[in-house]
Amino acid sequence: MARYGMAIDTKKCVGCMDCVVACKTENNVPEGYNRDWITNETAGKFPALRQEIRTERCNQCDNPPCVYCCPTGASHISDTGGIVMIDKNKCIGCKACLAACPYNARFVHPEGFASKCTFCEQRVIQGEKPACVEVCPTYCMNFGDLDDPLSIVSQLISKRPNHALLPPAGTKPQIFYLT
Ligand code: SF4
Ligand code: SF4
Ligand code: SF4
């Protein structure tokens, strides 16, 4: 079984927000909510400071507290490459998962269920790339199987310096930022 993840090149991201718009359209994300967003952070140590622009979303954690805390089993790890998914029919909107996620990646949909990035599972099972990856004009996002050493994501992560977000949280994020 695959383990899907992303390798995102922070040197190529220009913060254009095309990924945010594509996600909203592809996934019918309601007005006022986002599954992905842009963060602008100053990284490094003076005098070698640099600006890191990141496109962020659910990190599809390998040790996901949002799944463990869910009282109904709505939040679960899917058979599709380990993607963390939410079964909206089982969700009671209790927000336990929102509180458990250290990345603030979830929101409650106006219809009452928790929602977040799904790695565009509906596209991935058809052999397509996630919408955000597909539209990026600088090709900064790479999506693929982290368990395959020959995949583009595995190759990039092994060859380029990279970091995940909030490693001390212990969630084992599956999105890696190339620096
Ligand atoms: Fe869960 Fe948050 Fe990790 Fe996504 S980023 S899998 S919502 S803990
Ligand atoms: Fe589970 Fe829904 Fe509660 Fe989140 S809001 S913990 S998915 S029941
Ligand atoms: Fe949105 Fe899909 Fe990208 Fe996740 S992978 S941020 S759901 S477009």
Side-chain angles (χ1 to χ4, degrees):
M1 195 177 91
R3 180 58 176 107
Y4 291 130
M6 285 187 183
I8 300 178
D9 193 338
T10 62
K11 288 194 166 147
K12 286 188 185 165
C13 180
V14 292
C16 68
M17 306 263 294
D18 281 6
C19 50
V20 177
V21 174
C23 179
K24 284 184 92 82
T25 307
E26 168 70 26
N27 296 296
N28 207 11
V29 180
E31 188 73 32
Y33 299 87
N34 291 301
R35 289 185 176 192
D36 56 349
W37 59 92
I38 305 294
T39 298
N40 212 322
E41 195 176 83
T42 305
K45 284 198 178 120
F46 184 82
L49 293 173
R50 62 189 172 78
Q51 203 68 16
E52 184 166 295
I53 304 172
R54 290 193 301 263
T55 168
E56 296 185 2
R57 60 198 42 62
C58 164
N59 283 285
Q60 302 295 347
C61 306
D62 234 14
N63 187 30
C66 56
V67 170
Y68 305 145
C69 74
C70 177
T72 66
S75 282
H76 64 282
I77 298 169
S78 99
D79 292 337
T80 310
I83 301 174
V84 174
M85 295 289 288
I86 301 157
D87 180 344
K88 69 177 184 180
N89 296 316
K90 286 189 185 168
C91 178
I92 54 172
C94 71
K95 300 188 184 171
C97 56
L98 274 73
C101 173
Y103 307 98
N104 215 8
R106 292 180 168 229
F107 58 90
V108 176
H109 191 282
E111 289 172 19
F113 54 86
S115 187
K116 68 170 191 71
C117 166
T118 56
F119 265 178
C120 286
E121 188 192 40
Q122 74 279 10
R123 294 173 58 92
V124 170
I125 55 179
Q126 310 271 11
E128 295 171 9
K129 293 175 186 171
C132 53
V133 175
E134 183 78 40
V135 301
C136 176
T138 68
Y139 307 104
C140 77
M141 276 175 277
N142 301 275
F143 174 83
D145 182 5
L146 296 168
D147 279 351
D148 174 2
L150 298 177
S151 70
I152 179 82
V153 279
S154 297
Q155 295 279 317
L156 284 166
I157 291 164
S158 68
K159 286 182 187 149
R160 294 263 308 267
N162 63 82
H163 68 96
L165 299 184
L166 291 179
T171 57
K172 299 192 183 155
Q174 300 298 296
I175 294 182
F176 298 88
Y177 290 93
L178 308 169
T179 58

